[in-house]
Each structure stands twice: as C-alpha cells, then as structure tokens.
Amino acid sequence: MLLTVQTATLDEYRNIKPAPGEGYNIGGSGGVSTLFKEFLVILTKTEDVPDESVEDESVSIVWAVEDVLEYLMALDIRISRTSNIRDYFYSHIDMVGFVKRLSETTRDYFGDSAVLTFELYKDPEISDSFFALLINDRTEPDLILTKIDRIMEEYEREFSEISGWLMLGRDYRKVGL
Amino acid sequence: MVEVVCEIRFTPETEWKPILPGLLFPKVEGNFPTTKEDRPSRIQITPREEGGVTSKITTEKFTVFYAEDEKTLFRIGPRILAIHRLKPYPKWEEFKPTIGVISSALFETIGDIDGIQRLGLRYVNHIFINEESPELSRYFKIGPALGDELPAGFSNFLVGCTFPFNGGRYACRLHFSSLAIREPEKKGFLLDIDYFLNEPKTVEPAGIIEWVEEGHKRVEEIFEGSITDELRKIFGEVK
C-alpha cells in the first residue's frame, strides 16, 4: 500500500542516519530510483511490511544497473558510452554496489568543483576492458594523486574482491572535451 | 528485450542452509561453470515519531552462477532463486527449460520446502527510437495522459499500472518510462512487465513450469497491447 511519495535531494538522502528499525521500503526496482537528479522515495505503510517481508517485485539486474547510472548522474559524474558500460556491468553485477560506493566517496573527497568522468576503457592492444573513474580537479591539482591514494587505501579490500576491473585515476584531458 | 527474470522466493518457514550454493554447484556445473559472489545492500527506512526518518542498511550474500556466455545466470540468496537471461534473448522455448532444470536442482538440494512465497516472471525491455522527440502515441499504446492545461512538451515521464488476474491471486505490473540515461541522437524507453504470484503458497513447486508458461502468455499479451504496428516495424520481434 502506498502511503506517501516524497522527493529528497541527494544531500537529504545522505543525511539519513542508519539506525535499527523495520518497516519502510524504498521504492524503485533496484532500491532507490533517481529521476532528473532527484530521488523519488516511495514509502510504504509500516503495518503492511512484516519483518520477513517479501519484495513486491522480482529483482532485475538491468534495473540495478540503471539505478547506478542514475546515481552517478545525481553525483554529477559524466558518463560516456552508456551501452558499453551497461554490458560490462551485466557481466560483473557485483560491481554495481562497489561503483556506487566508490563514486560517492570520490565525489566527497574532491568536492563539487571537480569534474568526474565514468567510462569503460577498452584497451586495443590486449582486447580487454575496464571501468575508469577519472578525476579532473583544477582547484587542487597537486592533491589529486594524494586523494586517489587515500581512496584506494579505503577500498583496497573491495578492489581485490570485485570480479571486474576499475581504474581510479587522474583525467589529463581538457575539461569540456 | 534486455532481461528476463524468473524469480522464486520461498516462505520464511523453509529451512535455508548457507551451504546450499555449494551443494548445488556440482549439479549445475556443466552448464554454469563460473560462480561469483554478490552482496547487494538493502535500505529500510522507518519514520520517527518525532519526525524525520531513520534507516537501516543490511547486506545479503548472493552466489551468482554464470553460464559460459555470461548471458544466462542465476542468483541464489536467502530463500531466493532468480534466473536471469540478458540480451540477446533466445526464444521462450529455449529459456523455459533452463528455469525447469535450475529450479528442480535447487528443490532437490533443499529437500523439504514449506512453500513458495512469491513467483515472478519479469521482462525488461529497452526501446530506442532514432528521433530526438518521438511522438509517443505513434509507437506506444500506453503513455502519460496530460490535460489541456498542462504544457505540451515534457522531457521525461513515468507511468504504470497493475492488472489483477485469477481474482487477484496473480497480478502483472506494467511500468513504462523514458530512460533517464540517454543514448546520443535517439530516445530511449523502458517497458517493464512483471507478472507475479500475489498470494503465497498458492502454487506448488511442481507447478512452477505451468505457472511460468501461463505468465509468459500474459506478459506477451500485455507487451503486444502496449506497442503499435509502427514500433513493430522498427525492431525484429522476439517472443
């Protein structure tokens, strides 16, 4: 039963503090669905959701991938060649949550002024592909590599566990290209 | 069609041993030689009496079994089996046996099943039209109904409805929206059809194949009822 439909900005969503409790599910097929850089949060009535509640829809990999792409958009991360990105996610679905967390952390480290780009890099020499999250920060260019090192340390264990590859690096291209 | 999912959820009373994926692996290894681990997060939000909300984030462990082409896979988590086929989609007659083989192997491994809580057959379609602003009614028989006083143009939309079947015991949810992530020089749409069991324990494990066969027919009817001949001309139909 739908009780309320609320919208919340990304910052408001981030401010939701984890605490024990049961009862409300966030709507949207993969969890949170972002539309037009805003979160659409659908709350269901608490009495209708028992502890062992059943999700009311089959979990879709495609929806989970769309959710993460929309989440990156909400973080103001540029995405190029989405078809290729989708296909890589489909083969490495364990990376959906990882990319979400890493991207949020990276945005936090570099702030809103940095230009972040997420893409699938195809190496023509070894016919291999991997995700690349690239950072262009003109306000503090000397700190880029230091911050990247810190993020890598924070995610060291997860980097070793994911099934695909992701490169976190500096973007040497000119902003706007 | 970018994805079809057949999902089976078991009742909370069904005993679920964490070792199940390991016990199942030898039975499916021939067709699903690769396994990976997935730990999706789940967020639950509770309103506080004094206002605002609190949330709880939990992580569940899933084992994902991949076929060699990595397009057919199934995921096993706590009391959940989800069989996915990603594009390119073969014919239904080719996918249906996969559901039978995997579910039978799992049922045999579980042993005593209390019941099925939910069954779902879901088709997710991405539809791209090579126009910047296509006229929706030319291609779809579903869409937002806008009153005369609303602006004529819109950039994104989301509509949906749920159709009850068999007196509400089954239902089918239709979701139609624009794709927020766009492809260059074309407009993308998402047509998502989710047919599901609305009342727990009304389908026996032995009746699953019959149920999905019926579900597939309903999904097909709803899909066909949602699109126009003009759209059928654009893409080669795969049922």
Side-chain angles (χ1 to χ4, degrees), chain A residues 6 13 16-26 29-30 32-36 40-41 43 46 49 51-63 66 69-70 73 79 81-83 86-87 89-95 101 163, chain B residues 2-3 5 7 9 12 36-39 41-47 53-57 64 66 70-71 73 75 79 82 84 86-87 117-122 124 126 128 156-158 173 175 177 179-183 190 192 194 196:
Chain A
Q6 296 182 342
Y13 170 72
I16 294 171
K17 299 287 186 290
E22 295 281 340
Y24 277 61
N25 290 330
I26 291 184
S29 296
V32 179
S33 173
T34 55
L35 286 173
F36 330 132
L40 176 68
V41 181
L43 302 179
T46 188
V49 186
D51 286 351
E52 291 280 359
S53 67
V54 175
E55 299 284 342
D56 72 345
E57 57 191 13
S58 306
V59 173
S60 156
I61 292 168
V62 167
W63 267 97
E66 292 306 315
L69 292 177
E70 290 178 24
M73 275 178 71
I79 307 170
R81 295 189 290 274
T82 50
S83 294
R86 284 187 179 103
D87 287 341
F89 268 128
Y90 296 158
S91 298
H92 303 280
I93 57 175
D94 58 314
M95 292 187 75
R101 289 188 294 277
S163 63
Chain B
V2 284
E3 183 182 20
V5 191
E7 187 186 82
R9 293 175 185 257
K36 294 174 188 174
E37 198 175 283
D38 185 24
R39 291 179 180 271
S41 297
R42 183 186 156 103
I43 307 170
Q44 290 182 309
I45 296 181
T46 309
V53 294
T54 57
S55 72
K56 186 170 91 168
I57 299 172
V64 190
Y66 282 90
E70 296 196 330
K71 301 299 179 193
L73 57 137
R75 304 163 74 243
R79 297 183 182 82
H84 302 257
L86 299 165
K87 63 172 185 177
Q117 183 86 353
R118 187 186 184 279
L119 256 176
L121 184 67
R122 184 174 189 176
V124 184
H126 281 175
F128 291 99
N156 290 294
F157 69 90
L158 183 157
R173 187 178 296 114
H175 168 114
S177 66
L179 271 178
I181 308 293
R182 296 175 187 177
E183 301 288 336
L190 198 150
D192 181 2
D194 189 11
F196 58 97

Side-chain angles (χ1 to χ4, degrees), chain B:
Chain B
M1 209 291 300
V2 284
E3 183 182 20
V4 56
V5 191
C6 177
E7 187 186 82
I8 304 168
R9 293 175 185 257
F10 301 96
T11 57
E13 291 75 28
T14 300
E15 192 187 357
W16 192 266
K17 297 172 186 162
I19 199 174
L20 266 174
L23 297 173
L24 182 65
F25 184 64
K27 296 176 185 172
V28 297
E29 189 181 1
N31 293 322
F32 296 88
T34 310
T35 62
K36 294 174 188 174
E37 198 175 283
D38 185 24
R39 291 179 180 271
S41 297
R42 183 186 156 103
I43 307 170
Q44 290 182 309
I45 296 181
T46 309
R48 289 191 297 244
E49 279 186 10
E50 62 272 26
V53 294
T54 57
S55 72
K56 186 170 91 168
I57 299 172
T58 55
T59 304
E60 291 175 329
K61 183 186 166 187
F62 279 78
T63 305
V64 190
F65 296 71
Y66 282 90
E68 254 177 50
D69 64 358
E70 296 196 330
K71 301 299 179 193
T72 307
L73 57 137
F74 67 93
R75 304 163 74 243
I76 293 187
R79 297 183 182 82
I80 299 171
L81 165 66
I83 303 157
H84 302 257
R85 171 68 203 198
L86 299 165
K87 63 172 185 177
Y89 176 59
K91 288 183 176 175
W92 168 245
E93 289 71 25
E94 289 174 37
F95 181 62
K96 189 174 74 169
T98 308
I99 298 171
V101 168
I102 297 167
S103 58
S104 299
L106 181 65
F107 296 163
E108 186 187 301
T109 310
I110 295 173
D112 189 21
I113 296 169
D114 173 71
I116 290 171
Q117 183 86 353
R118 187 186 184 279
L119 256 176
L121 184 67
R122 184 174 189 176
Y123 276 74
V124 184
N125 302 277
H126 281 175
I127 298 167
F128 291 99
I129 295 172
N130 290 321
E131 295 174 35
E132 285 286 342
S133 303
E135 190 185 334
L136 280 183
S137 60
R138 192 176 163 202
Y139 301 103
F140 301 98
K141 291 180 180 171
I142 176 176
L146 301 177
D148 294 339
E149 292 169 7
L150 288 169
F154 55 88
S155 53
N156 290 294
F157 69 90
L158 183 157
V159 294
C161 50
T162 302
F163 304 100
F165 289 103
N166 297 53
R169 203 148 58 93
Y170 312 147
C172 190
R173 187 178 296 114
L174 174 63
H175 168 114
F176 179 47
S177 66
S178 49
L179 271 178
I181 308 293
R182 296 175 187 177
E183 301 288 336
E185 295 171 3
K186 55 187 174 184
K187 183 78 178 172
F189 301 94
L190 198 150
L191 188 63
D192 181 2
I193 305 169
D194 189 11
Y195 182 75
F196 58 97
L197 178 68
N198 214 16
E199 290 180 13
K201 296 175 100 167
T202 50
V203 172
E204 294 296 320
I208 281 179
I209 292 300
E210 194 183 331
W211 187 89
V212 293
E213 181 63 49
E214 188 184 327
H216 176 255
K217 282 182 192 152
R218 297 249 161 91
V219 168
E220 201 171 78
E221 285 165 11
I222 287 174
F223 179 79
E224 293 296 336
S226 303
I227 64 170
T228 65
D229 288 338
E230 193 70 23
L231 184 59
R232 286 188 188 91
K233 285 183 201 165
I234 293 179
F235 54 79
E237 258 187 284
V238 180
K239 291 180 182 176

